[in-house]
Amino acid sequence: MMKPLKNNRFIQALARKPVDATPIWLMRQAGRYLPEYRELRASAGDFLALCKNPKLACEVTMQPIRRFELDAAILFSDILTIPDAMGLGLHFVKDEGPRFHKKIDSKIAVDELSVPDMRESLSYVYEAIECIQVELAGEVPLIGFSGSPWTLATYMVEGQASKDFRHIKRFLYQEPEAMHQLLDKLAISVTEYLYQQILSGVHAVQIFDTWGGILSTPIYQEFSLNYMSKIIRGLHEKLGQSCVPIIIFTKNGHQWLELMLESSADCVGVDWSISMENVKKRVAGRVAIQGNLDPAILYADNTTIEKAVVELLDQFGEAPGHIFNLGHGMLRDVDPEKVDFLVKTVHKHSQS
Ligand code: CP3
């Protein structure tokens, strides 16, 4: 049984119920912009060592919660833990990002790819969740997450981050069946992974579809959204009433807002390339909305930040169902003082 939460704004807003102030959390709220994170990472060796040690992952999750008046914590981990568990050999190259020793670049490689037992192979994640729940002691809710099958596949096929995504696009257009087979394996894994996170106690989950926005509309529907919908259906089937709220976030995907509503997600995340006014009008209260401040605004002075916050809150208006967030992850060299100012400003200007 879950303990009642002391600060329930985030969960209330996800259910589109009234709140005393707009809840705020920030994608990548834990990470390099915090000196205490850099210190812990240096002592652990590297980023993956932090992710794979439940105590350290717990500590990193708590760092922004101790500093700022955030309304939710997010599990410290990475979306690439799934392909890592599948045996692709994840490692990070300094200043360049993730790399895999093994790429999924043929139908044979897809055939050979095994779906590991998510409970066993990612047990360090669930242990971290349990540790975080103890540390949080019901102060704020905890968000679990996964990558979308499409976004995970981009890294698995490209073998690293990409600018033009030509390997995965070639694979998709030359071998659509094998692509579907890969996405199916990933959807099964993600469903089981999120299910285990929920059983371990997270209060909501977010599916990060960072690279859905590089696709055309029919391809987005068939190869990205379709699999996120499958995961949501799977979680609803497994958990029924005890399923937690599900947020989907396709970076650069606002053109498909109406399609996303058909996925049965409880909340849709949007980036800053669309105005909140436009999102609000199109969603028309059917789901909660998360977003959508440009993360780079945290480089500006406080007056500029405050003006942008007020504008965004005004555009959303009085109705319930807004979760304040950045439109993408926190940039690595932001001044933590600016984050503190942002969080306080959102609460100050949205207090009812
Ligand atoms: O939001 C949080 O605070 C939770 C932690 C979190 C991380 N990654 C930590 C991280 C979450 C939710 C993610 C998700 C993630 N990981 C995504 C989807 C969201 C997005 O940002 O688009 C993606 C695409 C990844 C894959 C990934 N991990 C990349 C491409 C990189 C390198 C790029 C970069 O920013 O350096 C990472 C590394 C990573 N994941 C870091 C952190 C804090 C930086 C690691 C470090 O140098 O310490």
Side-chain angles (χ1 to χ4, degrees):
M1 236 355 246
M2 266 184 211
K3 278 197 241 115
L5 290 160
K6 287 178 201 145
N7 172 349
N8 204 22
R9 278 178 194 143
F10 171 66
I11 301 296
Q12 289 285 107
L14 281 171
R16 286 167 284 136
K17 290 186 182 152
V19 282
D20 60 343
T22 300
I24 170 169
W25 71 277
L26 304 163
M27 291 190 268
R28 294 269 170 102
Q29 63 192 27
R32 288 161 295 194
Y33 75 104
L34 292 177
E36 60 270 35
Y37 169 83
R38 296 195 298 269
E39 200 178 299
L40 200 64
R41 186 186 58 179
S43 69
D46 62 13
F47 166 66
L48 271 183
L50 287 180
C51 292
K52 292 188 178 182
N53 179 322
K55 282 230 156 60
L56 296 180
C58 170
E59 174 56 25
V60 177
T61 303
M62 293 303 297
Q63 288 176 344
I65 302 301
R66 292 194 193 110
R67 258 186 194 256
F68 314 117
E69 294 163 19
L70 292 158
D71 297 296
I74 179 162
L75 162 72
F76 186 80
S77 188
D78 200 84
I79 62 166
L80 300 176
T81 51
I82 289 184
D84 185 47
M86 289 175 159
L88 268 56
L90 173 64
H91 54 289
F92 282 81
V93 177
K94 197 168 185 304
D95 297 325
E96 287 183 37
R99 288 269 198 292
F100 287 109
H101 287 301
K102 187 170 170 322
K103 278 190 224 178
I104 303 299
D105 51 5
S106 66
K107 167 138 181 47
I108 297 169
V110 175
D111 282 337
E112 285 173 358
L113 188 70
S114 66
V115 175
D117 178 337
M118 283 292 134
R119 220 179 89 173
E120 243 167 68
S121 56
L122 292 170
S123 58
Y124 62 86
V125 176
Y126 320 126
E127 280 172 42
I129 291 171
E130 282 160 23
C131 174
I132 297 162
Q133 296 295 14
V134 173
E135 283 291 309
L136 282 174
E139 272 314 315
V140 291
L142 175 64
I143 306 166
F145 69 90
S146 168
S148 72
W150 169 257
T151 291
L152 294 176
T154 60
Y155 289 98
M156 294 165 76
V157 174
E158 299 284 337
Q160 61 185 69
S162 173
K163 286 209 165 71
D164 56 13
F165 296 92
R166 66 202 163 86
H167 298 105
I168 191 161
K169 286 193 173 181
R170 182 194 295 139
F171 195 45
L172 184 161
Y173 285 111
Q174 290 185 347
E175 305 223 42
E177 285 315 310
M179 193 69 224
H180 276 305
Q181 200 188 332
L182 172 59
L183 293 168
D184 250 325
K185 286 187 177 186
L186 287 167
I188 291 167
S189 307
V190 170
T191 307
E192 185 59 26
Y193 184 42
L194 292 177
Y195 176 64
Q196 293 299 333
Q197 291 186 29
I198 295 167
L199 293 187
S200 305
V202 299
H203 300 88
V205 292
Q206 174 157 324
I207 304 174
F208 285 89
D209 186 30
T210 307
W211 299 119
I214 63 163
L215 299 171
S216 66
T217 299
I219 299 293
Y220 171 72
Q221 280 186 276
E222 182 178 345
F223 290 88
S224 179
L225 183 59
N226 182 26
Y227 288 94
M228 290 197 277
S229 302
K230 251 190 190 164
I231 293 162
I232 297 172
R233 270 201 308 279
L235 291 173
H236 286 163
E237 273 164 26
K238 274 171 175 289
L239 288 151
Q241 289 295 316
S242 43
C243 191
V244 301
I246 302 169
I247 306 164
I248 58 171
F249 170 61
T250 294
K251 172 101 200 315
N252 239 314
H254 62 74
Q255 62 271 43
W256 305 308
L257 267 176
E258 288 80 4
L259 296 175
M260 286 183 216
L261 297 185
E262 291 166 23
S263 70
S264 299
D266 301 273
C267 176
V268 173
V270 281
D271 68 29
W272 62 94
S273 58
I274 183 168
S275 76
M276 190 48 89
E277 194 177 11
N278 189 339
V279 179
K280 174 92 188 301
K281 209 185 299 160
R282 284 166 57 195
V283 170
R286 286 172 286 178
V287 294
I289 298 165
Q290 180 173 279
N292 68 342
L293 203 67
D294 179 353
I297 206 137
L298 294 171
Y299 292 137
D301 57 29
N302 286 355
T303 313
T304 310
I305 295 173
E306 185 159 14
K307 191 163 161 274
V309 166
V310 169
E311 212 171 273
L312 210 167
L313 289 170
D314 280 352
Q315 285 191 21
F316 193 90
E318 288 291 313
H322 182 206
I323 293 137
F324 204 104
N325 206 318
L326 303 173
H328 199 200
M330 186 89 72
L331 297 161
R332 68 179 73 184
D333 53 359
V334 157
D335 176 357
E337 288 297 319
K338 292 289 173 55
V339 178
D340 189 45
F341 180 76
L342 170 69
V343 175
K344 287 181 172 149
T345 304
V346 168
H347 288 153
K348 179 177 141 197
H349 287 286
S350 63
Q351 227 131 46
S352 55

